[in-house]
Amino acid sequence: ENGHVVTYTVVEAAAEGYAVTYSEKSVKLDDDTDKTITVTNTRQVGKTTFTKAGSDNAILPGAVYAVLTKKANGKTYLVGRTPTDGVLTEKAEAIVDGAGYLTQQVKDEYRFTTDKDGRIELVLPVEEGTSYYLQELAAPENYYLNTELVPLTVAAGDGSQKAGQVDQRKYQLEVTKDFPDEVANGSFATFTLYDENMRQVGEPVTV
């Protein structure tokens, strides 16, 4: 203007979960030629693969999980199972206790099930101050429910992140009590099962 060279710089306030790139950050208006700056917003997503196994080293299909996300504002949400443009973005506010465990029934659209290879593959938005974790809702047949929460690592542009969890296999133990002939009918005995660390397993059984 008036023979002076004027430099203009464009800065966009990026929307949450998007990265901003510019065809060029600044332009000089030193002639009568129009200038153009192209601003591109790229969704920041990451992929993580969760694998479910048993204590007997079996790969476990059929384990059911909820995927939860805790936001920077302290609120926790259930992540929906149906993706939008390949990304799991649908959310519903979750009811959780102080440790982050769900205290509500979970609808089918928020339940994820391990596939035939025992896996759940998740493509999730990467947002500042947001974390993700899994809670098992139903264990495969013949396995105990694992009550530990599983933290997930999700990094923008990274599809190599992995997580896993092991369920303890259920085994059947049959105990038969032989009463001596001289013992009257109707006698009974009570048995208590302990593990290798002498911790009681289940409730005593009377036969």
Side-chain angles (χ1 to χ4, degrees):
E1 187 175 333
N2 298 325
H4 296 287
V5 175
V6 180
T7 300
Y8 289 92
T9 300
V10 174
V11 177
E12 179 185 6
E16 184 180 32
Y18 287 83
V20 180
T21 55
Y22 305 87
S23 58
E24 48 187 321
K25 196 72 175 284
S26 302
V27 294
K28 292 182 179 180
L29 300 183
D30 53 3
D31 54 31
D32 293 331
T33 305
D34 291 338
K35 308 290 182 173
T36 300
I37 295 178
T38 301
V39 181
T40 303
N41 289 353
T42 304
R43 186 69 179 268
Q44 298 296 282
V45 300
K47 178 181 176 182
T48 186
T49 302
F50 170 79
T51 303
K52 185 70 171 180
S55 57
D56 53 353
N57 296 319
I59 296 300
L60 299 183
V64 182
Y65 281 85
V67 180
L68 297 107
T69 176
K70 186 173 183 180
K71 309 290 281 184
N73 61 8
K75 291 186 177 181
T76 300
Y77 297 85
L78 286 159
V79 175
R81 201 176 67 231
T82 303
T84 301
D85 296 328
V87 183
L88 298 169
T89 57
E90 182 184 353
K91 301 179 183 69
E93 190 165 356
I95 303 172
V96 296
D97 63 17
Y101 286 90
L102 285 164
T103 59
Q104 66 180 90
Q105 294 296 316
V106 178
K107 295 181 180 179
D108 184 63
E109 56 262 39
Y110 298 101
R111 298 166 73 92
F112 294 76
T113 303
T114 55
D115 63 16
K116 62 181 180 62
D117 298 314
R119 298 187 305 178
I120 299 173
E121 294 188 348
L122 303 165
V123 179
L124 297 162
V126 176
E127 300 171 352
E128 186 175 355
T130 295
S131 60
Y132 294 94
Y133 64 96
L134 299 178
Q135 179 179 335
E136 188 173 22
L137 303 177
E141 186 177 2
N142 296 323
Y143 290 85
Y144 291 103
L145 183 76
N146 195 321
T147 59
E148 293 185 2
L149 301 178
V150 183
L152 299 176
T153 299
V154 183
D158 185 358
S160 66
Q161 298 299 325
K162 300 184 187 319
Q165 190 177 52
V166 175
D167 277 359
Q168 292 297 314
R169 175 69 190 250
K170 292 180 179 179
Y171 293 95
Q172 182 174 342
L173 175 65
E174 182 175 311
V175 178
T176 301
K177 174 67 176 178
D178 290 328
F179 291 99
D181 294 338
E182 63 270 18
V183 176
N185 291 335
S187 297
F188 61 88
T190 299
F191 295 91
T192 304
L193 183 65
Y194 296 90
D195 65 15
E196 66 273 16
N197 297 313
M198 292 306 296
R199 293 175 299 195
Q200 182 174 322
V201 179
E203 298 298 322
V205 176
T206 299
V207 297

